[in-house]
Amino acid sequence: RAAGLVDIHELDTTIVVDLIYAKPLNFMGRTLYHGVNKAFMQPELAKKVAEAQKILKKKRLDLNLVIYDAARPISIQREMWASVEGTDMEDFVANPNRGAGMHNLGTAVDVTLLDCTGHPIPMGSEYDCFADHSRVNIEEQLLDEGIITKRELENRLLLRRVMEESGWLPIKEEWWHFDHMPKKYAVENFKLI
């Protein structure tokens, strides 16, 4: 809050928040966010997430947005980078030595869709799966090779449509990650967290 960020629940309490890094079941295998259970982001972005939830409900009343990650302190980014540096997972984690990542500016969200029972719908990979089957830019190839199913691709496309209609930009590496603006603009206009 001191950095000007807002909790998404101030705008929409129906959006589920399940911060993966507040629990040990993540790619790091340990809790990174201690005592944090709220999804914080820049105020204008929070409005766009709330808008995405409304768009989703118009398309599919049985589904709900869930936020797995939002604003991320640079100290956590450094820990994440240290765990993947020198591995084939490097392009899935922003290198903090090259400047702020979008999460570190409060200008990105990691989201997926939950069904009416509160379970994530199939997307062809788990969240934070640092492998080719998480990539957006090769989805047709993944489908052709039987790595993801038609249903999983349709679910990804639904998530992207909802997020893009509310002003979010997908990235090529991760089906769950969305930026709200080009990085250059974010770096010039927002402070590092």
Side-chain angles (χ1 to χ4, degrees):
R1 291 186 198 280
L5 304 177
V6 298
D7 168 10
I8 189 60
H9 284 160
E10 292 172 23
L11 281 81
D12 189 332
T13 58
T14 68
I15 296 169
V16 177
V17 173
D18 183 15
L19 298 179
I20 297 300
Y21 303 119
K23 305 182 276 190
L25 299 175
N26 57 60
F27 84 95
M28 296 282 293
R30 60 188 170 85
T31 301
L32 298 170
Y33 298 162
H34 297 280
V36 177
N37 61 4
K38 298 178 186 295
F40 287 96
M41 60 195 77
Q42 298 294 338
E44 61 199 73
L45 279 65
K47 289 178 188 170
K48 294 297 183 179
V49 173
E51 185 180 325
Q53 176 78 335
K54 287 181 181 129
I55 291 169
L56 174 62
K57 290 299 185 179
K58 287 180 185 171
K59 294 179 184 299
R60 293 279 305 269
L61 198 55
D62 62 321
L63 298 178
N64 206 51
L65 279 178
V66 58
I67 297 175
Y68 285 151
D69 199 21
R72 178 187 307 150
I74 192 70
S75 59
I76 301 296
Q77 192 69 35
R78 287 186 186 111
E79 288 183 55
M80 290 177 165
W81 176 252
S83 74
V84 300
E85 188 175 14
T87 73
D88 59 356
M89 298 185 295
E90 277 188 352
D91 63 335
F92 291 96
V93 176
N95 181 346
N97 301 318
R98 294 188 189 142
M102 297 297 273
H103 282 290
N104 311 132
L105 299 166
T107 58
V109 291
D110 292 348
V111 296
T112 193
L113 303 173
L114 299 181
D115 64 21
C116 59
T117 67
H119 294 92
I121 65 173
M123 295 289 189
S125 80
E126 296 298 319
Y127 170 78
D128 259 4
C129 173
F130 296 160
D132 282 345
H133 53 285
S134 295
R135 296 183 186 278
V136 171
N137 60 329
I138 59 169
E139 286 173 333
E140 288 299 327
Q141 175 188 336
L142 296 172
L143 179 64
D144 291 346
E145 293 174 3
I147 296 169
I148 65 172
T149 66
K150 184 171 175 30
R151 178 178 174 217
E152 291 163 342
L153 178 56
E154 288 170 355
N155 291 342
R156 288 183 183 197
L157 293 173
L158 173 61
L159 176 62
R160 271 205 304 279
R161 271 194 307 277
V162 164
M163 295 302 284
E164 289 174 336
E165 284 179 33
S166 59
W168 292 89
L169 308 168
I171 64 169
K172 65 181 181 176
E173 294 86 4
E174 302 166 348
W175 57 260
W176 57 83
H177 178 105
F178 294 88
D179 295 332
H180 193 261
M181 60 200 65
K183 185 173 181 177
K184 183 178 185 323
Y185 181 87
V187 168
E188 291 171 355
N189 292 279
F190 296 97
K191 292 180 181 176
L192 184 68
I193 301 164

